[in-house]
Amino acid sequence: MSDYKERNENEIFTKVLKAGRRTYFFDVRETKAGDYYLTITESKKNFGENGEATFEKHKIYLYKEDFASFREMFNESTDFIIAQKGEDVISEKHDKDFKSRSFTIESDDEVYD
């Protein structure tokens, strides 16, 4: 059986979250023993110098025995962030008036694009 066919045959349920250049896949898969586990994949679209798109992927495998601890730590971490910084996004790149800044090697003067 091909690797592609085997990977897709054990996929039971999928949800997709598109977030700008990133896409998150939440896939429920089946083990050889017939139990389920979750894979969370982050896929980020990048463009090379030639304009060709490539995808950088990172994957987490999460098994049922870890769900409660993972959920607890995830909730604690996200609650901490919201409590400390609120829900508003404060990254410069998310600011509609953001101007890209770069520095020249010869000086520390900022250059705006």
Side-chain angles (χ1 to χ4, degrees):
M1 180 182 305
S2 76
D3 185 42
Y4 175 81
K5 186 175 180 184
E6 186 174 315
R7 277 192 318 243
N8 289 306
E9 282 185 355
N10 71 356
E11 209 168 272
I12 307 299
F13 174 88
T14 298
K15 293 297 255 181
V16 178
L17 171 62
K18 294 187 181 225
R21 288 183 13 205
R22 299 182 198 287
T23 303
Y24 299 96
F25 298 91
F26 296 82
D27 299 310
V28 175
R29 298 176 180 267
E30 186 173 10
T31 66
K32 291 179 181 176
D35 206 357
Y36 290 170
Y37 64 99
L38 175 67
T39 62
I40 302 170
T41 306
E42 174 203 37
S43 179
K44 182 178 176 185
K45 191 174 193 177
N46 295 312
F47 293 96
E49 290 180 14
N50 62 0
E52 188 174 318
T54 59
F55 294 90
E56 179 182 339
K57 294 183 180 182
H58 301 98
K59 190 171 284 212
I60 296 172
Y61 293 85
L62 191 58
Y63 297 91
K64 288 191 314 187
E65 61 267 24
D66 302 320
F67 285 0
S69 297
F70 185 92
R71 183 182 299 121
E72 182 180 327
M73 288 186 182
F74 179 84
N75 288 337
E76 284 180 34
S77 300
T78 57
D79 289 348
F80 175 81
I81 292 169
I82 299 301
Q84 295 295 310
K85 296 295 181 179
E87 293 189 21
D88 292 335
V89 176
I90 59 175
S91 169
E92 289 178 331
K93 288 187 177 184
H94 291 91
D95 183 348
K96 65 181 178 179
D97 296 325
F98 174 74
K99 287 190 173 33
S100 176
R101 289 182 292 228
S102 61
F103 296 88
T104 62
I105 294 174
E106 295 83 27
S107 74
D108 290 333
D109 295 336
E110 287 185 88
V111 177
Y112 291 92
D113 294 331

